Amino acid sequence: MNLSIIIPVYFEEDNILPELEEIKKKVKTSYLIIIVYDLDNDPTIGVVKKYIKKNKYKNILLKKNNVGSKRGVINAIKTGINVTKTNTIVVSMADLSDDIGKIDKMYQLIEKGFDIVCASRYMKGGKQIGGPFFKSLFSRLAGVSLFYLGLPTHDPTNAFKMYRKSIFNRIKIESNGGFEYSLEVIVKAHKNGYKIAEVPATWRDRTTGKSKFKLLKWLPKYLRWYWYLLVN
C-alpha cells in the first residue's frame, strides 16, 4: 500500500458506505483505509464489518481511538497516524464532504517531493457548496489573509490534506479542541520549511447526519494558530 486514508467516525452509519464506495470508485493509488472510532457501541462499526465481510476486503481496518482521552477527532487522527505503516497519509471525513477524486492528484504531488498537499476550496478552480454562513466566512477570510501573509495555500483550515508521514516526527500536534489541528500542522510545517502544495477541490456540506464542527467553541483555538504564524 502506498497511502493510508484515515477516516475518523462518530455515529456515521448512514454515511460510511457511500464514502467507502466513493473511494473505491475514484482512487487508483494503492491504499489502506483506517476507520477510527471512539465508542464500542457506535453503529458505524457493525456497518463496516458487514461491508468488509461481504466484499472480502483486506484494505479496510477498523481501529478504536487509543490516544489521550480516547475521544475526539484529534486523538482519532493521531491513532490513525500511529497505526499506519505507509509513508503517506490523507485525512478525510466520512460525510462525503471531501473531494475524493482529488486524492490521486494529491499523491502525485507528494511523489514529486511535496510534504503536504492541501485540497483548496478557495484557490482558482475550487468551490464550496453549502455549509453555515459564518463558518464559511471565517474559513475564507482566514485562508485568503494567511495566503497573502506567505502561507502557500488558500485553504489552511480545510482538514482534507495529504501528509508525508515523516513530518509528524518533527511536528507535535498540540491542539486539544477539534479540527483546528489542521491549521496548526500547516502553520508549523511552513515555519519548519516543509514543501506545501495545493489542488483545487470542491467541498460539499453533509446531507445526512449532524456536523461535529463547533465554531464558537473552536474559534479561539483557530485564532491561536493564526496568531502563531504572525508572531513566530
Side-chain angles (χ1 to χ4, degrees):
M1 305 293 178
N2 296 324
L3 171 69
S4 292
I5 304 173
I6 299 173
I7 307 177
V9 297
Y10 186 81
F11 290 77
E12 293 285 4
E13 66 274 13
D14 294 328
N15 289 315
I16 191 62
L17 294 190
E19 173 77 7
L20 295 176
E21 285 294 307
E22 186 85 349
I23 294 170
K24 178 183 175 182
K25 178 182 177 182
K26 294 185 175 180
V27 180
K28 305 305 179 186
T29 304
S30 175
Y31 61 81
L32 170 69
I33 298 173
I34 304 173
I35 298 171
V36 187
Y37 61 94
D38 285 347
L39 303 175
D40 291 327
N41 65 344
D42 188 334
T44 313
I45 301 168
V47 171
V48 173
K49 284 183 176 179
K50 289 179 182 178
Y51 181 77
I52 294 172
K53 183 176 181 180
K54 178 181 177 181
N55 296 282
K56 299 180 180 179
Y57 287 132
K58 296 182 179 180
N59 65 336
I60 301 176
L61 174 66
L62 275 164
K63 182 68 177 179
K64 188 173 183 179
N65 187 342
N66 61 11
V67 173
S69 66
K70 303 178 183 178
R71 296 288 297 272
V73 65
I74 295 173
N75 290 332
I77 290 168
K78 286 180 179 178
T79 296
I81 293 171
N82 292 340
V83 167
T84 183
K85 306 284 185 195
T86 64
N87 294 325
T88 307
I89 62 175
V90 64
V91 177
S92 181
M93 299 301 106
D95 58 9
L96 299 173
S97 60
D98 295 323
D99 197 347
I100 296 299
K102 300 295 184 179
I103 285 180
D104 287 337
K105 186 173 183 180
M106 295 165 78
Y107 184 75
Q108 289 168 9
L109 288 170
I110 293 288
E111 285 192 309
K112 289 181 179 180
F114 288 96
D115 300 296
I116 302 178
V117 181
C118 311
S120 177
R121 299 163 285 185
Y122 308 133
M123 69 181 293
K124 184 178 179 180
K127 184 186 295 186
Q128 177 165 320
I129 301 173
F133 173 77
F134 286 107
K135 173 187 171 184
S136 301
L137 178 64
F138 164 74
S139 175
R140 184 179 293 273
L141 289 175
V144 172
S145 61
L146 288 175
F147 176 78
Y148 284 110
L149 288 169
L151 195 65
T153 174
H154 292 78
D155 196 358
T157 62
N158 192 352
F160 185 36
K161 293 183 176 74
M162 187 174 291
Y163 305 93
R164 195 179 300 277
K165 184 185 176 183
S166 59
I167 73 168
F168 293 103
N169 295 329
R170 187 173 180 184
I171 294 175
K172 179 183 178 181
I173 298 176
E174 300 176 60
S175 295
N176 58 11
F179 293 102
E180 84 278 3
Y181 85 90
S182 60
L183 178 59
E184 174 193 354
V185 173
I186 201 75
V187 166
K188 287 183 174 179
H190 176 60
K191 289 290 187 180
N192 281 284
Y194 288 106
K195 295 180 66 178
I196 299 167
E198 61 180 352
V199 299
T202 299
W203 181 91
R204 293 176 173 82
D205 194 22
R206 64 164 59 228
T207 57
T208 302
K210 185 177 180 181
S211 173
K212 313 302 186 298
F213 190 91
K214 303 175 179 66
L215 178 61
L216 292 179
K217 180 179 179 181
W218 291 342
L219 181 56
K221 298 177 184 295
Y222 277 95
L223 291 175
R224 172 189 178 187
W225 300 111
Y226 188 98
W227 184 249
Y228 181 94
L229 179 67
L230 300 182
V231 300
N232 287 280

